[in-house]
Structures are given as C-alpha cells and as structure tokens.
Amino acid sequence: MARLIDDIRGGRLQMPWFVAKHLAAAWEEQTLRICEFLRDEIPVILIDNVADYYYGAEQEYWSLDRDFPNCAPPFPRFWSEHRMPRVIHSKEKGDTKITDLITKGRIGVLVTGTRIEDVKTDSEPPPGTKWILWCELFLDFGVNGVSAQGPNGSIFMTIDENGAVLGEPWMQSFDGGAYADIIASYMTWLHPTLLAITFLHCRNVTVVDNPVPPKLARRYRERHAGRAPVAHKTLIIEPLKAVLRKEGRSGEVGIQKAMHICRGHFKDYREGRGLFGKYHQLVWQPMLVRGGSKGDTAAPREVKIKV
C-alpha cells in the first residue's frame, strides 16, 4: 500500500467536507503552508503496530494524563501514519467491525513540538508549560477515486517538562462553528500517534529505518515527475508488549494498569561543565517500563536531544 504522505506530496488531497465557504481561502492558505512542511526532510514513522495495539487493547476510555504519560516531542517535527482499524475491541462494548468501505483507510498526523518561549499566544499557558504540541490531522477513508481529506484542523496541547499534558487540548478548524461537536471528536484519531510518542520514550522500544526499495523508488519517480518517495521508520514494540502481557497482565486489567511507566525527564547540561565535560545541551532521561513484582527495571540510558 502506498504511503499517505507520498499521496499528499503527489497532490492527492482535497478540502474536508465541513469547511465553510467563507473560510475556504483561509483553509487553502493554511494547507499550502502545511504541505511545505511535508516536503521537508522530516522523520516519517509508520505506526500500524501501535494502532493495532491501541484498537485491540479492549480499553473503552482513554485519558490524556493517565494513558499517554509522556507526550514530550521526540522530534521538532515528524509525520506518523497508520491504517484505519478493521475491528475495535472493547470489554464494555464488544467488538465493533468497521464498514468494508474504509478497510483501506489511512490516518496521518503532522506533529510539531515548539518550546513555549518560541510561541506567541493570545492567552497565558498553564504554569509549567514546556512545549506546545501542534498536530495536523489527515484522513483517507479508502474510497476509490477519492483523495485524502485534510488538514482537518489544528490541534494544540500544552506539555510540561516531564511530557505530561496540561489542561485541555484545543482545536482550530475552518467549519465556522457549525460542526463543533463533530470536529472535536476528530481528536480521538490522534490517540495512536500520542501512544507512539509515549512508546518512543520507553527504553525497550526501538526505531528501525526502512529505506525505499530501489525498484519502487524508480517507479514512483517515473509517475511523479522525478519526486522521490519518503523512507520511513517503524517502532519495534514487541518487547514492550511482552512485558505488558506477562508482568502487567494487560489482557486482564487493561493497558492503563499494565503500563507502570516512570516518567522521563530532561537534564540540563547547557551551563557549567556540561555532560561528560563537553556536551552543553539538554539530555533526555527516558521513562522505563517496570517489569515483575520484584520491581525490576531496565537500566537507564541517556539520549542527547538537540535544542
């Protein structure tokens, strides 16, 4: 299956159904700006396995502060995408089978993390805000001949230094207020991406680069005026899933009780001697997933993050 980001970069994009006529020009201006970001060299992360885990976790209600404990931006800007689910599992509601109409559907999210001091806001952010997380959502319902819809609205969250979401997220769309409740429900499509961000901060999750096969890249360039397809990364979460099943009994108690995650945090080495006497930068101390009842944890590691 072709990547959604490649389709968007190739021009397969249409205005969402709810955009008000008098705001269409503003939507187009915003879309041109966002599409420029998508043409940049940014990390592209394929999170199908994370989405499968999310929709198969049998958990009905998800809380931003409880179930996504670390939403600190892992990159200044990145793209994530995954297939739409075919079945959603829930202990309370049973299995919900998604209509065949969208079995080939895809969801993409452009995520930008900006330090609060670099953002101009009309209102005072919550105390302790470290970043503003800005997400742009794109939806492809998998209908033949119909392009992806988006961006569907700018979603913002305030994040503290430990990655916790502060206050309530908010969304700016171009519906003119006519479909506020429907547009607000779109925020739940972000959950797999937020879960992937949380996983990215866990020590027992790895990121693997997946270059584009040469033959596929050549055919893509021939069809798209020389434009190259993007390479993508995938998260290897199987070690983490094994811990949650075996030690956390995720199948019995749900993900929110199974994930005993120690919040990560930044260490500031920008002043003084620096890290190891030479690195003057922020260093991320990742969160860890706790193991068995004896309180075993994986050894901590430090990851340098440029700011």
Side-chain angles (χ1 to χ4, degrees):
M1 180 184 295
R3 304 293 174 222
L4 178 56
I5 188 173
D6 286 327
D7 285 351
I8 294 173
R9 293 175 69 184
R12 290 192 64 247
L13 187 64
Q14 68 179 18
M15 181 183 297
W17 60 271
F18 54 78
V19 174
K21 290 183 178 180
H22 69 283
L23 295 175
W27 177 87
E28 291 178 359
E29 181 179 353
Q30 173 79 341
T31 299
L32 288 174
R33 176 190 176 200
I34 292 171
C35 286
E36 284 299 318
F37 294 150
L38 293 178
R39 294 187 181 95
D40 292 339
E41 294 296 327
I42 59 175
V44 174
I45 305 177
L46 192 64
I47 61 168
D48 286 323
N49 53 352
V50 178
D52 290 343
Y53 184 74
Y54 171 81
Y55 289 111
E58 298 187 340
Q59 183 172 329
E60 183 68 23
Y61 301 102
W62 293 74
S63 169
L64 287 178
D65 58 350
R66 183 189 64 215
D67 298 313
F68 310 100
N70 196 333
C71 291
F75 309 99
R77 179 173 289 126
F78 72 97
W79 170 267
S80 76
E81 71 171 78
H82 63 86
R83 296 183 303 271
M84 286 186 175
R86 296 193 177 188
V87 178
I88 298 176
H89 299 285
S90 169
K91 284 188 176 180
E92 296 187 22
K93 305 295 184 180
D95 287 354
T96 301
K97 293 184 178 180
I98 307 302
T99 174
D100 291 340
L101 183 65
I102 62 172
T103 54
K104 295 182 180 180
R106 299 167 297 176
I107 298 170
V109 183
L110 177 66
V111 182
T112 302
T114 307
R115 291 180 296 175
I116 187 61
E117 57 266 29
D118 297 328
V119 178
K120 294 181 180 180
T121 59
D122 296 331
S123 58
E124 189 70 20
T129 298
K130 180 72 175 181
W131 296 280
I132 298 292
L133 203 67
W134 167 27
C135 301
E136 292 288 346
L137 177 68
F138 295 79
L139 301 175
D140 170 23
F141 291 100
V143 181
N144 291 333
V146 178
S147 301
Q149 295 182 11
N152 287 274
S154 302
I155 303 170
F156 299 95
M157 302 178 191
T158 50
I159 312 294
D160 73 9
E161 64 178 356
N162 295 317
V165 178
L166 301 174
E168 297 292 331
W170 69 97
M171 185 173 184
Q172 297 175 355
S173 70
F174 295 91
D175 70 316
Y179 304 99
D181 292 341
I182 296 176
I183 303 307
S185 70
Y186 278 29
M187 291 190 191
T188 59
W189 288 114
L190 294 184
H191 284 180
T193 293
L194 297 178
L195 187 58
I197 291 175
T198 293
F199 285 169
L200 278 166
H201 293 298
C202 293
R203 188 180 188 278
N204 42 2
V205 170
T206 56
V207 182
V208 176
D209 290 315
N210 298 273
V212 181
K215 290 184 178 180
L216 178 62
R218 184 173 63 252
R219 289 197 297 268
Y220 186 92
R221 285 194 295 267
E222 290 172 352
R223 297 193 193 110
H224 297 88
R227 184 184 297 110
V230 297
H232 67 275
K233 304 175 185 290
T234 52
L235 304 185
I236 306 301
I237 64 173
E238 277 62 35
L240 171 57
K241 290 164 59 177
V243 170
L244 296 180
R245 284 195 304 267
K246 182 178 179 181
E247 308 293 352
R249 298 184 296 120
S250 60
E252 303 172 38
V253 301
I255 185 175
Q256 76 274 29
K257 292 183 179 179
M259 288 188 71
H260 300 291
I261 298 179
C262 299
R263 292 180 185 273
H265 61 280
F266 280 105
K267 294 182 178 179
D268 194 343
Y269 292 99
R270 290 174 293 184
E271 304 293 336
R273 295 183 63 251
L275 177 63
F276 306 129
K278 58 180 180 178
Y279 297 111
H280 295 273
Q281 59 194 106
L282 289 181
V283 175
W284 179 255
Q285 177 71 48
M287 72 173 84
L288 309 173
V289 176
R290 296 191 181 278
S293 60
K294 295 181 180 180
D296 298 332
T297 62
R301 66 175 181 177
E302 291 186 336
V303 180
K304 295 189 289 293
I305 297 181
K306 296 181 180 179
V307 295

